[in-house]
Amino acid sequence: MELRQMEYLVAVAEEGHFTRAAALCGVTQSGLSAAVRSLEKELGASLFARTTRRVALTDAGRALLPFARRMLAQASAGRDAVARASQHLSGQLRLGAEQCLGVVDVGPLLERFRLRYPLVDVQFTQAGSAELATQVRAGDLDVAFLATTQHLGSLRRLELGRRPVVGLVHPTDDLASSGQATWEGLAARDFVDFREAWAIRQLVDTAFTDRHLDRRVRMSVDDVHTLLDFVQRGLGVAVVPQHVAAKPQAAGLAVLELPAENAPEWVVSAVSAPTAEPAAVRLLELLAEANLAVAQPA
């Protein structure tokens, strides 16, 4: 069994989809599929049950998954040990991120960075995407992970991934049983949404404005869990990035697909100044190496 095959196994298991897993690993879908088939042939067992809509682990796949994770963790630890012994990067890394981006997992990324570069003074701040972009432009941050493509000016942008947005309603809502909604239908409901500082609020506001629709935002919040709690209590509906609807706190809520035509997307990017500090460059390199995001140049 090869390390590359273990990486592909974990990616498919987590994404539930070969195409997304291939993008996550930076390979073609055909290459990833061939590697998985080779692993299955070597082990003499099917690791995934494949359907037209989703890929799920078989019993054999579930048995192998924890061993695959341990192999990848050991390989990462080995790379970190070598890096600590051979590289003495110091200085400062000032990083910012919008909350609950979904595409990039900031906590594990910072943990890996601190393990590999213990001499770097790491500072982190959480804020809305527009504010983060302003701080990078002003030189107050070295790198920011954000969910906007607007007003970035001369900043360097690396697209990390994108997700659709979906509607969330209480299970007793008339829309719940249909599994889909129109923008016009949602506009007639009261909304729970984030304050204007957060990227999803700007994205949803623009979606309604572009369709010449007004909506009523009755509840404005600053964190994902409060938003989900309010929707759970029937205080309003919400439009959120797809990954938010998959959170445990959203269990029981009805997830509604929105019309595909001109649909808004949650686009997550890393931005930095044109002349990035060495620590910022190393962070982005580690991001791609650790497969903690879908790395696609914008």
Side-chain angles (χ1 to χ4, degrees):
M1 291 183 289
E2 300 177 5
L3 190 65
R4 173 178 56 91
Q5 292 172 320
M6 298 299 99
E7 178 187 347
Y8 296 169
L9 172 76
V10 171
V12 176
E14 291 180 346
E15 293 294 321
H17 197 280
F18 273 87
T19 301
R20 291 198 296 268
L24 184 69
C25 296
V27 298
T28 64
Q29 180 180 339
S30 60
L32 182 142
S33 297
V36 171
R37 286 195 300 270
S38 175
L39 179 61
E40 290 176 324
K41 182 178 179 180
E42 177 184 346
L43 296 173
S46 295
L47 301 174
F48 294 101
R50 300 160 174 84
T51 69
T52 56
R53 295 180 60 86
R54 185 163 177 81
V55 178
L57 285 166
T58 63
D59 289 342
R62 282 190 289 273
L64 180 60
L65 184 61
F67 294 95
R69 293 189 192 279
R70 282 199 289 272
M71 283 182 64
L72 293 175
Q74 289 173 348
S76 294
R79 285 192 292 265
D80 290 342
V82 171
R84 285 196 299 271
S86 59
Q87 300 182 36
H88 303 288
L89 183 68
S90 60
Q92 183 174 281
L93 173 66
R94 299 164 302 169
L95 173 67
E98 175 137 349
Q99 64 174 309
C100 200
L101 288 166
V103 173
V104 58
D105 204 344
V106 178
L109 176 63
L110 283 179
E111 180 184 24
R112 288 286 311 280
F113 187 87
R114 286 289 300 272
L115 286 172
R116 181 167 293 190
Y117 304 111
L119 299 181
V120 176
D121 176 22
V122 178
Q123 301 174 20
F124 175 78
T125 187
Q126 187 179 77
S129 290
E131 180 181 342
L132 292 171
T134 298
Q135 291 188 48
V136 176
R137 283 197 301 270
D140 297 326
L141 288 176
D142 301 308
V143 182
F145 297 123
L146 40 76
T148 184
T149 58
Q150 300 179 344
H151 311 301
L152 298 182
S154 62
L155 297 180
R156 298 175 60 185
R157 183 174 80 91
L158 177 71
E159 183 176 315
L160 303 178
R162 54 181 64 206
R163 298 287 186 270
V165 297
V166 298
L168 281 181
V169 300
H170 192 271
T172 61
D173 191 289
D174 293 341
L175 294 171
S177 60
S178 66
Q180 55 188 1
T182 63
W183 294 98
E184 290 79 6
L186 288 176
R189 264 83 174 160
D190 290 340
F191 265 80
V192 181
D193 208 334
F194 289 90
R195 288 191 306 110
E196 289 84 351
W198 302 102
I200 187 61
R201 174 62 181 269
Q202 298 168 12
L203 187 68
V204 177
D205 280 349
T206 300
F208 279 96
T209 299
D210 288 348
R211 291 163 176 81
H212 307 288
L213 295 170
D214 294 323
R215 65 175 180 136
R216 300 184 301 271
V217 178
R218 300 298 193 193
M219 310 282 171
S220 295
V221 303
D222 273 321
D223 70 280
V224 171
H225 294 165
T226 300
L227 179 140
L228 294 175
D229 179 54
F230 281 12
V231 179
Q232 290 278 17
R233 297 177 188 278
L235 298 176
V237 305
V239 173
V240 298
Q242 188 180 51
H243 65 275
V244 172
K247 281 182 163 291
Q249 294 82 357
L253 295 177
V255 180
L256 308 178
E257 291 186 7
L258 297 172
E261 184 178 0
N262 298 320
E265 286 188 302
W266 178 253
V267 181
V268 177
S269 304
V271 300
S272 58
T275 55
E277 294 295 323
V281 174
R282 296 293 183 271
L283 178 76
L284 296 178
E285 290 174 351
L286 183 59
L287 178 69
E289 173 193 311
N291 280 331
L292 292 169
V294 180
Q296 301 169 343

